[in-house]
Every structure is written in structure tokens, then in C-alpha cells.
Amino acid sequence: MEGFLFYLGGAMMLLGGVAMVASRSAVSAACWLVLSFLGSAALFAALQAPFLAVLQILVYAGAIMVLFLFVIMMLEGPVMPAEAGRPKFWIPAGALVPAAIILVATARWVPGAGLPGFPGDLPPGFGQPVRVAQLLLGEYLLAFELISIVLVVAIIGALALGSNERTLPWK
Amino acid sequence: MITVPPVNWPALLPYLVIGGGGLVVMLVDAFVRTLRKDHLTALTGLVFLGAAIAMIAVKPEPGPQLGGMLTVQMYTRFFDFLLLGIGLVTTVYGSAVYSQDGDYRPEFYPLVLFAVLGMMVLVAASDLLILFLGIETMSLAVYALVCGRRGELRSSEAALKYLLLGSFASAFLLMGAALLYGCAGGTSYAALAAVGGTGEGGPLFAVGLGLVLVGFAFKVAMVPFHMWTPDVYDGAPAHVTGFMATAVKAAAFGALIRFVTIALPGLAAHWSGLLTVLTVLTMTAGNLLALVQASIKRMLAYSSIAHAGYLLLGVLAILAPAGGDPGRPLRESAVVQAAGSGLLFYLLGYCLMNLAAFGVISQLGRSGGVEADQVDHYRGLSGRQPVAAAVLAVAMFSLAGIPGTVGFLGKFYLFEAAIRAQLVPLAIWGVVNSLLSVYYYLRVVVVMYMSDDQTEPFDGRNWETILLAGCLAALVVLLGVFPAAVHGLTSLAFGTMLG
């Protein structure tokens, strides 16, 4: 089962990533990104971490994507012709995915070619919210704090580059 | 129950001072309405000095911190002091620029502080995760600093190029780190060393290492990954270019040296072939392209690439003896010790002379919207501004490696270590390269002193900048004549890293 989820999620992420880069309009690129996020949620599910899978969908595919679309809308960039000149390779790529899924799904019943499951027994509490919190605020505390600094720097940088003198709220 | 790993507050104090100081400077800038420009400069300077005092006054127990995420030792403290010094000098240069012309950028101050924090973390990292976060903190701050002039096309172009290529390089580093994690089952340097030492990593381990190397190569501007350097150095304001040429390079080399010696001591044989090619390419291409530049900032950009090549020669000298005898620990080798201390000495000298040069470029000011960029703009500078011309001349002599300056001794230590590590052809090639470089460095001196053209429009004067650049030039000469104390220090610092 884990093997099936792995290949399914991997295919979704690949397809979503390639299509995101290839799409001409920012909005459809953002929508393809959702597919990629859903694929990574499937990977977390395959890793026996349902909490992270749900978070991935709620936070990334949900909240952050809404923010992305909001920003795209606010920027009001030049609307690119969505269809003109679109690369056509996504059609065979899209056709490959169901084929791959069928292949993966049927491989289970081919003797000697079964998909590997999750090896061994999991430690108690694996993938539970408690364990995630322990890792985040225990072992990886420094990384957690550094990420907040990275975000502050990114906000300062974005504000400095994106604003012009007249629109700064405090001037 | 969450168990936080034991926190050694004294060891982390400098990082907390810089990080907290960055936040305070940012908030003061945003909310204090009666603020004058020089208040922020003073506050930023105080934060840098506070962090330096915290390092001198509080002597922590050296060793791994926070469950092995960071390592604090004399080696990292050496880089911390160097980076704090560069940050302080850059702050003074920057505030001088902002007082000269109207375009005031208050975000400069917190960004410099956060960039220095990222660099300090990068050098001290003992885990790929922290390494990556250090690089990102540093890079994001520098991307924004590069765009130092709002609405100026060249500056914006430089920032965009650096952002796109830098993000790409970060993605390579991250992919490599993920592959290494998959092979080693952990991201700490110790876990990598355990797998790398046995040679059980397999092809994925090698691919992961290659990708991490690409990430480093981008940051230190090794040759196939150097394309961004001239445009970005040229487009950024001179005080920011000086910061990038010195602090970013020093931090990236500090982390690279720790990475190859701590995480990959047994893998020298796999690395050294690849690194030899990169070293030769970097030295040669940097020097050849610098020869033909008419712009002094582009010339210094290519010169910084060439200097990265000399530094890589030192890294190779560290790796070479271990390749010959894999079982022997690095710390027992006198050659490794010589190469390591030579590298640190060279980095220190390189930072001093580049900061002095960029100080002079920055203080000449702007005319018609551009900085004193072309070599021709320096025509007859000795007549108009004798002190500035003398400082720039000392910096150029030192960059060229003329005896009596720190640049000569740095190269001497590096090439000597390379010869002792039996890298004789490479050392000879390095000497040939540095002879080549004399031409383009001395061209600037010739233009300044052998011409009495007084019509150039660039005649900005700023006593703070020129005083500071003068002190740096004095240090360049002082260390070039009396290197013993500092060389002993770098030797000691490198020794602590090997354990």
C-alpha cells in the first residue's frame, strides 16, 4: 500500500511541477502547484504521518495557495495568453500518469514483483502531533528559530524591493 | 513532554546579540519617528561591538551546541570576529554613502546585521539543515542589499540575476542534502563522516556530495558557476559589493573548509580530482577575464574569482595528504596544519585589502547617477585626493601580491603549503597566475599616479570612509611586515577545528 501511495504521490508531484513551470498563466501555474502539494501530502501519508499529510493540505494547498492567488490578483501583471504557444508535451505526460498508476496497482498481483511496504515496526507515537512537536521544539529548536529569522529577512527584503517611496505607510 | 536539548547560553550569546540587535534596529527604524540617519548607524555599530564584547568577555566551554547543530570553537570565533569587523566597516561605508546623497535606505542596517548572523551560523553549522538555513539567511539579506538603489536599472538587474541564480544554487544544495540524508540516515556532519569513511555511500552519496559542492561553488564563485559575479558586483553599490566580495566569500570558505575536513575526511580521493579541475579553471579564467576589464568593479569581481582559485589551492592542500593516507587523522599532518592556517591568514588579508579598495571606490561618490566605475575615472586621483589614492594603491599592491603587504604573505603561505602537499604543478600555475594579475592591478596605480588629468567629475570626499579605509590599508602593510602573531593565531584556530 505504501508503495502505491509513493508512486501515486510522486507522479502527482512531478506532473504538477512540470506543468507549473510550463504553464503560461500565473493562475494556472498556481493551480498546478496545488496538485504538487497534494502529491507531497500523499507521500506523507505513505510515510505513516497522517498529521503532516493533513497539515500539508490545510496549510500549503489551502492557506498558502489562497495567499499566492491573492498576490497574483493584486499584482495585476500582464495577462498572458494562456493557450497560445503552450508546450504540448504535457499531453503525453498526462497520459503517462494513469498508465503508471495502473502499472503500479497491478504490479501487486504479479508474483515476485510486489511493491515494498513500510519496513519494520514503527516506534510508538510515530507521526503523531505530539512527536512532531517534540522534534520541532526539541531537537530542531535551532532550525525552527532560524527559519523565523529567514522569514523576517525575506519580509524586509520584499518590502524594501517591492515598495516605492510614496506608498510606504510610515512616511 | 518536550525535552529541549541543553542550551549553553554563553556560547550562543553572540548569535543572540546580533539576531536580537537586528530585530531591535528594524523596529526602531519602523516606529521611532524622531530618528535621524546617524542614530541607526550608531545603533548598528553598537550591536556589532556588543557581539564582539560578548565573545571576548564570555568564554564558553567550546564544543557542539544544541544537540550537535552548531559547533563553537576558536575556529568559528575567528570567523565571527572577521565577519563582525566586515559588518561594522560596511555599516560605516554605507552610512557615509547615505549622508552624501539623498537616497536613504533604512533597511540596509537590519539587513547587514541579519546577513552577518547568517554567515556566523553558516561557519558554525555542524548539520546540513543549519548549513542551509545559514546560507539562506545570508543570501536573502544580500539579494535585497544588492538592489541598493530604488529605480536604478542596473542595480535592479543585478538583484534579479543574483536572486534567480542564487535560488537555483540553493535548490541544488538542498537536493544534494536530501540525497545525503537518504544515504547517511542523518544530516549531521558526524553522520556523513561515518558513512563517507566506510565508502558504503554508493552512487547516490557521490551525487549528493556533487550537488552540495555546486551550492558552495556558486557562493564562492568557482568558475563554471561564476557567471553572476561580474554583473552583480558591478550593479550593486560599491559598499555592498565590498561586503559581498569579503564577507560572503569568507563565510562560504569558512563553511567549505569545515565541511570537507569534518564531514568528509575520508573522501579526499573522490573530491580532489574534481576540485583540481575547478581550481585551475577558477584561477585562470578569473585572471584572464580581469585583464580586459575597463570597469574597476568588474575587474575586482574577476579578481575575486581568481582569489577564490588561490584559496581552493589551499583547500586542495588540506585534502591531499589525507588522500595519500586515508587512515591517518588530519590533525597529525603538519602539511594540513600549514595549509589550514595559510588559508585563514589569506582570507583575513583578502578581506582587509578588498574592503580598503571598495572604501575608496565608495567614497568617490556618484556623478550622473553612476559610481566611479571605470578605471579612467581614477586618472590623476593622486593629485586631487592623495590619501585616497595611496590607500587604493596599497590595496592594489597587496591584491597583486607585492612583498611587504599581507597579500604577498598570504600567497606565500598558501603556495608553500601546496608545494609541501606535493601539488607542485598547481603551485607553479598559481604563481604564474598571480604574475599575470600584476598587470591589471598596477594599471589602476599607473592611471592614478602617472596622469595629471584633473577633469574627472568624481571627487566625493568622506573623512569617515577614508579614515577607515586608511586604517585597513595600514593593517595590510602591518600584517605584511609583522605576520607572526596573527599567523600563530590562525594556526591555533585551525588546530581547534581538527580537534
Side-chain angles (χ1 to χ4, degrees):
Chain A
M1 190 58 200
E2 288 86 12
F4 175 72
L5 272 178
F6 172 78
Y7 286 107
L8 180 70
M12 277 165 78
M13 287 181 76
L14 275 179
L15 177 72
V18 170
M20 189 201 87
V21 175
S23 46
R24 306 267 300 174
S25 111
V27 174
S28 55
C31 295
W32 281 114
L33 194 57
V34 174
L35 183 68
S36 185
F37 285 151
L38 291 176
S40 64
L43 288 191
F44 280 125
L47 288 169
Q48 312 283 324
F51 175 63
L52 287 182
V54 171
L55 271 194
Q56 175 77 17
I57 291 175
L58 280 183
V59 176
Y60 284 90
I64 295 206
M65 282 318 300
V66 170
L67 200 67
F68 272 9
L69 289 172
F70 198 64
V71 169
I72 292 170
M73 196 180 78
M74 274 177 63
L75 284 178
E76 294 177 281
V79 181
M80 286 191 242
E83 295 304 322
R86 165 182 286 201
K88 292 286 182 279
F89 65 87
W90 64 272
I91 298 174
L96 274 178
V97 175
I101 292 174
I102 292 166
L103 203 70
V104 166
T106 50
R108 227 177 151 71
W109 291 281
V110 178
L115 284 166
F118 208 82
D121 291 326
L122 294 169
F126 183 86
Q128 298 300 308
V130 175
R131 188 72 193 113
V132 174
Q134 282 170 346
L135 282 177
L136 209 55
L137 298 176
E139 196 180 333
Y140 292 103
L141 180 64
L142 180 67
F144 185 70
E145 295 299 331
L146 273 175
I147 287 172
S148 58
I149 294 280
V150 171
L151 289 178
V152 169
V153 174
I155 291 170
I156 300 177
L159 194 63
L161 298 187
S163 65
N164 57 46
E165 203 70 55
R166 285 172 290 114
T167 58
L168 288 180
W170 59 86
K171 297 287 179 196
Chain B
M1 193 51 212
I2 292 175
T3 44
V4 177
V7 180
N8 183 357
W9 293 107
L12 297 179
L13 191 59
Y15 306 102
L16 297 173
V17 170
I18 291 283
L23 291 175
V24 168
V25 170
M26 180 185 77
L27 291 175
V28 164
D29 173 36
F31 289 110
V32 180
R33 283 168 186 277
T34 54
L35 199 68
R36 292 213 330 264
K37 286 178 189 175
D38 35 355
H39 289 164
L40 271 188
T41 314
L43 195 58
T44 312
L46 279 180
V47 173
F48 279 125
L49 287 179
I53 289 169
M55 280 196 284
I56 296 169
V58 184
K59 291 262 186 294
E61 193 70 19
Q65 309 294 333
L66 285 165
M69 291 279 168
L70 274 183
T71 303
V72 175
Q73 53 195 191
M74 200 183 151
Y75 176 84
T76 63
R77 285 294 188 241
F78 171 82
F79 276 96
D80 290 347
F81 274 115
L82 182 62
L83 295 168
L84 289 178
I86 297 171
L88 189 59
V89 171
T90 306
T91 308
V92 175
Y93 284 179
S95 70
V97 169
Y98 298 136
S99 68
Q100 266 176 346
D101 58 20
D103 190 12
Y104 172 50
R105 306 299 301 263
E107 74 273 5
F108 169 77
Y109 301 99
L111 284 178
V112 168
L113 283 168
F114 285 130
V116 169
L117 174 69
M119 292 163 185
M120 285 163 61
V121 168
L122 171 62
V123 176
S126 287
D127 192 290
L128 286 173
L129 190 62
I130 304 299
L131 177 88
F132 178 73
L133 288 173
I135 285 193
E136 282 309 289
T137 313
M138 166 182 95
S139 304
L140 283 175
V142 176
Y143 299 148
L145 283 175
V146 166
C147 189
R149 300 204 158 258
R150 200 172 279 134
E152 192 188 284
L153 206 58
R154 275 208 313 175
S155 187
S156 311
E157 181 202 341
L160 188 64
K161 270 185 183 162
Y162 195 28
L163 172 68
L164 289 179
L165 290 174
S167 315
F168 220 63
S170 292
F172 273 102
L173 183 74
L174 205 56
M175 187 73 209
L179 289 177
L180 290 181
Y181 176 55
C183 295
T187 48
S188 69
Y189 286 6
L192 295 184
V195 173
T198 59
E200 284 168 5
L204 272 188
F205 195 77
V207 172
L209 277 186
L211 290 176
V212 171
L213 180 66
V214 169
F216 274 116
F218 181 85
K219 286 296 161 207
V220 304
M222 290 184 207
V223 151
F225 310 99
H226 71 289
M227 302 295 182
W228 57 277
T229 317
D231 286 347
V232 176
Y233 278 31
D234 194 21
H239 59 283
V240 174
T241 314
F243 185 65
M244 289 169 68
T246 54
V248 173
K249 197 156 283 204
F253 261 105
L256 179 64
I257 297 167
R258 274 201 67 216
F259 186 69
V260 295
T261 47
I262 304 293
L264 314 162
L267 285 173
H270 303 280
W271 277 71
S272 44
L274 188 62
L275 265 187
T276 307
V277 176
L278 288 179
T279 306
V280 172
L281 277 179
T282 306
M283 276 196 281
T284 317
N287 275 313
L288 286 181
L289 289 169
L291 282 178
V292 295
Q293 300 304 321
S295 147
I296 194 164
K297 275 160 84 185
R298 287 184 92 84
M299 184 270 272
L300 284 173
Y302 283 111
S303 120
S304 87
I305 296 173
H307 282 272
Y310 306 141
L311 286 161
L312 280 176
L313 187 59
V315 176
L316 269 176
I318 292 180
L319 291 174
D325 185 6
R328 194 161 159 225
L330 287 173
R331 63 175 164 277
E332 286 173 15
S333 162
V335 179
V336 170
Q337 187 69 35
S341 60
L343 263 176
L344 297 196
F345 188 83
Y346 194 96
L347 269 176
L348 174 66
Y350 169 82
C351 291
L352 289 176
M353 54 210 189
N354 262 304
L355 277 179
F358 280 107
V360 173
I361 297 175
S362 170
Q363 72 104 33
L364 281 177
R366 303 167 77 80
S367 171
V370 291
E371 286 174 306
D373 189 19
Q374 303 296 311
V375 175
D376 283 343
H377 291 153
Y378 292 79
R379 213 166 275 287
L381 187 69
S382 63
R384 287 175 285 147
Q385 298 197 24
V387 181
V391 170
L392 192 55
V394 168
M396 289 297 144
F397 280 131
S398 182
L399 282 163
I402 306 287
T405 58
V406 71
F408 168 74
L409 277 174
K411 275 188 185 129
F412 174 76
Y413 290 137
L414 273 189
F415 293 158
E416 189 224 358
I419 288 169
R420 281 170 68 184
Q422 278 139 26
L423 300 169
V424 179
L426 273 179
I428 293 174
W429 191 240
V431 173
V432 170
N433 262 295
S434 64
L435 286 178
L436 202 65
S437 72
V438 172
Y439 168 75
Y440 58 81
Y441 290 127
L442 291 198
R443 199 177 51 169
V444 177
V445 180
V446 168
V447 163
M448 282 193 302
Y449 281 92
M450 315 247 165
S451 157
D452 48 2
D453 186 0
Q454 299 296 327
T455 57
E456 281 304 329
F458 295 96
D459 204 21
R461 281 157 209 266
N462 185 285
W463 67 268
E464 294 152 13
T465 304
I466 210 65
L467 181 70
L468 204 53
C471 290
L472 293 170
L475 268 179
V476 164
V477 177
L478 195 68
L479 282 183
V481 182
F482 303 107
V486 173
H487 189 247
L489 202 69
T490 57
S491 181
L492 207 63
F494 186 74
T496 61
M497 186 191 63
L498 295 176

